[in-house]
């Protein structure tokens, strides 16, 4: 007997099955402008990702009332995620193996695997 998960929408279209890649959040961390790293064995269980939970849209940015912005680079090596803020550097020019974000100097970073 074959077993697995399948989910359909109201019209009968298959939405999720055993071939669908679903993400899993491993944790949430508040970080500041200080570089840092975090080790989590869960990174070995899939492809790691990270995104920031508190983003101010660029159109609403007011330098007098919002924190200063800088580029945030997040990278992984084995079970370790490393981050650093890169002020006054070109984000696109240097990050072939990292994920770069425009971030305030204190953010909540949500990380996991898919």
């Amino acid at each position: 007997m074959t077993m697995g998960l399948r989910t359909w929408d109201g019209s009968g279209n298959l939405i999720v099955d055993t071939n669908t890649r679903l993400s899993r959040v491993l944790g949430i961390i508040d970080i500041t402008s200080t570089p840092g790293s975090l080790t989590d064995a869960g990174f070995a269980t899939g492809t790691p990702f990270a995104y920031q939970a508190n983003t101010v849209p660029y159109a609403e940015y007011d330098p007098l009332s919002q924190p200063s912005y800088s580029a945030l680079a997040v990278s992984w090596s084995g079970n370790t995620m490393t981050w650093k803020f890169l002020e006054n550097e070109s984000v696109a020019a240097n990050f072939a193996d990292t994920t770069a974000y425009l971030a305030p100097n204190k953010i909540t970073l949500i990380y996991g695997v898919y």
Side-chain angles (χ1 to χ4, degrees):
M1 175 181 193
T2 303
M3 297 180 69
L5 168 72
R6 286 194 170 172
T7 304
W8 292 266
D9 67 11
S11 300
N13 299 309
L14 182 63
I15 302 296
V16 175
D17 70 4
T18 56
N19 295 322
T20 305
R21 292 183 88 177
L22 301 174
S23 61
R24 180 169 49 105
V25 172
L26 297 173
I28 301 172
I29 186 171
D30 289 324
I31 62 175
T32 63
S33 57
T34 306
S37 64
L38 177 135
T39 300
D40 191 317
F43 288 134
T45 65
T47 302
F49 71 86
Y51 66 93
Q52 63 187 71
N54 51 342
T55 304
V56 177
Y58 182 76
E60 297 176 16
Y61 177 69
D62 177 358
L64 298 177
S65 64
Q66 300 294 332
S68 62
Y69 276 64
S70 58
L72 172 66
V74 180
S75 60
W76 291 267
S77 177
N79 292 341
T80 301
M81 175 179 69
T82 304
W83 63 86
K84 64 180 178 175
F85 287 82
L86 306 168
E87 298 196 37
N88 301 320
E89 293 189 32
S90 171
V91 175
N94 301 313
F95 303 110
D97 297 322
T98 63
T99 303
Y101 304 93
L102 191 64
N105 286 338
K106 181 179 178 185
I107 67 167
T108 298
L109 194 66
I110 299 172
Y111 61 92
V113 293
Y114 63 92

